[in-house]
Amino acid sequence: MYDQFDVTLEDGDLLREVELTTNLIIAASEAEEPLSTEEIDRILGVVPHPRVGD
């Protein structure tokens, strides 16, 4: 019998996205308050770029 949910994930980008999302969910569930933008950026590995003109 064919099972549409029996799939193999071989997409590296997708796996990385799932890992980042999982890390964010865990951090949010452990936090006592909503995560700040800076905390979310840190968890996701976002590196802020300076704004032009600042």
Side-chain angles (χ1 to χ4, degrees), residues 1 6 18 25 27:
M1 174 186 266
D6 184 20
V18 169
I25 291 169

Side-chain angles (χ1 to χ4, degrees), residues 3-54:
D3 182 357
Q4 67 183 8
F5 298 109
D6 184 20
V7 296
T8 302
L9 295 177
E10 295 183 14
D11 184 330
D13 291 337
L14 176 60
L15 290 174
R16 181 68 181 137
E17 185 173 331
V18 169
E19 180 182 5
L20 291 172
T21 303
T22 301
N23 291 343
L24 190 57
I25 291 169
I26 291 169
S29 69
E30 293 175 347
E32 293 185 17
E33 297 180 1
L35 298 174
S36 68
T37 302
E38 291 78 19
E39 290 171 310
I40 293 170
D41 286 350
R42 181 185 53 77
I43 293 164
L44 297 178
V46 175
V47 178
H49 295 283
R51 290 183 179 182
V52 176
D54 284 348

